[in-house]
Amino acid sequence: MSEILRQAKSDNVSPSPLLPSSDLTKSHKTSVVRENGSPGLEISPVISSDSFSLVFLNEPVCQRRLSDEESTRHLLSQAEQDNFHRNLHLLHLKNQSSLEQVLTQKVEALKGNYGILLFLYSVVLTKGIEKLSSEMSEATELIDPEYGHGNQSLINLMLTGRGVNYVWDNEQDVGGLKLQGIVQPSEIGFLTLLERLRYCEVGSFLKNPKFPIWVVGSETHLTVLFSTNMNLVCPETAGEKGERLFHSFDPEGNNFISALLLEDLMKSLDLFSDSEYVEVIKCRLDPEMLGIILLNDFLEEFFPNDRNDRPETFLLYHYNGLPHSSSHRKKVIYLEGNAILLETNLRSLSDENKILTCLQTKWPSIDVTWNSGTYPSIN
């Protein structure tokens, strides 16, 4: 991670030859500049596998110059699509060493006009179409046919290797339907503004990845947040799990819940939840019979000695590949921010500072001062 950061700050680093994207910025040579606003799924890691399938073109495909409207919507004629698909060539590789060798030889193809499509085909075939289809369950498309946005199944496929539709942990029963989510912590995490807007619930597996790197989703775009502080992703303690699940019963962020929810909360934490015992705990935590259970009292009762080594202050770095979303307008840069975890939750919902609104879905009490003096854009 420190090497990544060093490269991000250096002006003398050669661009990575394996980035399957558009043009490389002259300002920060480790970053990728996108020419339009569709979500950049190529910034997500590729699925791991024991064998790999790579799709390339046998020969260059002539592409007519598109109008502005066609460029925006990525439209190709049927003849151009047919010509493209006739020239595809499939390679089967048995190990990662062979994969790296071929990618090094074919890197220019991935940087060309059809690079992202070749990359997507390669990922899908490496995963296996039948296996991917079974994981997607009721979803039928990886790409929005009108706007070209990758859906959540595609994001999850890139992040975790599984193309499930949902971002919660494990399986949830919704109206009798068993809906699959994320089954284990991934190497790269995911945070989204849509959770704060209550369109979804991101589970702890994506919020607490193995490395302090998160893909950040807005309504229309994907960016990247990362840190070099590995203490940010140390295993969740029992007390932290208790606090997280308490907040799931307290969506308004009031730091208290109705006493009627205490039994359900205790069951969700696998605590002893016999009805008589729950009544004893309820009287202990709510002696004045106000009908509420305070967060601090709950944690002190069940997790009195819980401690964690997570820092209260740390550096964060944000990357957005769209030049027009940068405060510098004409170049893509890495923005550095000084983060602090306050004593009370902020729970802001700001159109001007959407990144803070998004970060508070993981760190409810976080505040960040960005060295650029402006808020990074996640759009």
Side-chain angles (χ1 to χ4, degrees):
M1 286 299 300
S2 59
E3 178 64 14
I4 292 176
L5 179 59
R6 183 191 68 78
Q7 291 189 10
K9 289 187 173 183
S10 172
D11 287 332
N12 300 313
V13 179
S14 299
S16 168
L18 299 181
L19 289 173
S21 93
S22 309
D23 297 323
L24 296 174
T25 173
K26 297 180 181 179
S27 303
H28 283 267
K29 298 181 180 180
T30 59
S31 57
V32 176
V33 178
R34 295 189 55 78
E35 296 178 352
N36 53 64
S38 60
L41 283 171
E42 70 273 16
I43 63 181
S44 304
V46 188
I47 58 175
S48 60
S49 178
D50 294 327
S51 60
F52 305 89
S53 298
L54 287 181
V55 179
F56 288 101
L57 291 167
N58 279 326
E59 59 186 55
V61 177
C62 294
Q63 181 182 5
R64 64 185 174 85
R65 185 174 183 84
L66 302 179
S67 67
D68 291 341
E69 181 180 357
E70 289 176 318
S71 296
T72 301
R73 300 186 62 188
H74 311 287
L75 295 179
L76 294 176
S77 70
Q78 186 62 50
E80 288 168 323
Q81 294 180 42
D82 293 342
N83 188 28
F84 168 75
H85 287 104
R86 278 197 300 268
N87 279 278
L88 293 180
H89 177 62
L90 177 62
L91 299 176
H92 293 288
L93 305 171
K94 295 183 178 181
N95 53 58
Q96 187 167 337
S97 176
S98 299
L99 172 68
E100 293 175 353
Q101 182 178 0
V102 173
L103 283 176
T104 301
Q105 296 170 352
K106 302 282 190 177
V107 64
E108 292 304 319
L110 290 178
K111 292 164 63 177
N113 291 334
Y114 299 96
I116 297 303
L117 193 54
L118 297 174
F119 175 73
L120 175 61
Y121 284 2
S122 298
V123 170
V124 170
L125 291 177
T126 296
K127 173 68 179 181
I129 294 176
E130 290 186 4
K131 190 173 183 180
L132 176 58
S133 297
S134 66
E135 291 175 350
M136 291 173 62
S137 59
E138 72 274 11
T140 59
E141 296 171 332
L142 288 174
I143 304 292
D144 185 286
E146 182 174 358
Y147 299 105
H149 295 172
N151 69 11
Q152 193 62 51
S153 292
L154 184 53
I155 296 174
N156 288 343
L157 176 65
M158 296 294 181
L159 290 177
T160 71
R162 299 181 71 245
V164 295
N165 301 330
Y166 305 100
V167 290
W168 52 55
D169 292 345
N170 300 311
E171 181 184 86
Q172 287 197 18
D173 187 320
V174 180
L177 296 176
K178 303 293 186 180
L179 303 180
Q180 295 292 328
I182 309 302
V183 297
Q184 63 184 5
S186 58
E187 293 189 350
I188 307 297
F190 180 70
L191 304 174
T192 175
L193 182 66
L194 298 182
E195 179 176 17
R196 185 65 181 90
L197 300 176
R198 300 186 181 177
Y199 287 106
C200 67
E201 178 185 344
V202 181
S204 62
F205 290 150
L206 285 176
K207 286 184 179 176
N208 300 286
K210 296 178 181 179
F211 299 99
I213 309 171
W214 295 267
V215 172
V216 177
S218 69
E219 304 96 323
T220 59
H221 189 44
L222 297 174
T223 59
V224 175
L225 180 85
F226 66 95
S227 176
T228 59
N229 193 328
M230 289 298 295
N231 287 330
L232 291 176
V233 290
C234 58
E236 187 178 46
T237 67
E240 288 174 329
K241 181 179 180 181
E243 183 174 1
R244 172 171 57 81
L245 291 182
F246 189 100
H247 285 302
S248 71
F249 288 85
D250 173 32
E252 300 295 334
N254 297 317
N255 288 335
F256 66 81
I257 63 171
S258 167
L260 298 175
L261 298 175
L262 179 61
E263 183 175 352
D264 290 338
L265 173 59
M266 293 172 63
K267 287 180 178 179
S268 70
L269 287 164
D270 295 323
L271 299 171
F272 182 67
S273 53
D274 178 82
S275 297
E276 292 184 1
Y277 177 66
V278 172
E279 288 302 318
V280 171
I281 295 298
K282 190 181 297 183
C283 292
R284 188 181 301 170
L285 298 180
D286 183 22
E288 298 180 4
M289 301 184 67
L290 299 176
I292 62 173
I293 305 296
L294 299 178
L295 171 62
N296 289 340
D297 291 344
F298 177 81
L299 295 178
E300 186 63 30
E301 174 68 28
F302 290 103
F303 313 102
N305 300 314
D306 188 80
R307 298 289 183 271
N308 68 71
D309 296 326
R310 285 185 173 82
E312 294 184 354
T313 60
F314 47 91
L315 291 177
L316 290 174
Y317 301 88
H318 183 256
Y319 162 79
N320 187 336
L322 294 175
H324 65 74
S325 294
S326 169
S327 57
H328 291 71
R329 293 299 175 188
K330 294 184 178 181
K331 59 182 180 180
V332 172
I333 64 173
Y334 295 80
L335 296 182
E336 179 181 297
N338 295 280
I340 182 172
L341 301 183
L342 306 174
E343 293 184 359
T344 58
N345 296 348
L346 296 179
R347 294 292 184 184
S348 68
L349 186 58
S350 170
D351 288 336
E352 295 181 357
N353 195 0
K354 288 185 176 182
I355 188 169
L356 181 64
T357 299
C358 186
L359 296 184
Q360 286 172 356
T361 62
K362 172 172 172 58
W363 298 284
S365 63
I366 194 173
D367 195 15
V368 186
T369 301
W370 297 95
N371 292 351
S372 63
T374 59
Y375 306 130
S377 172
I378 60 175
N379 290 322

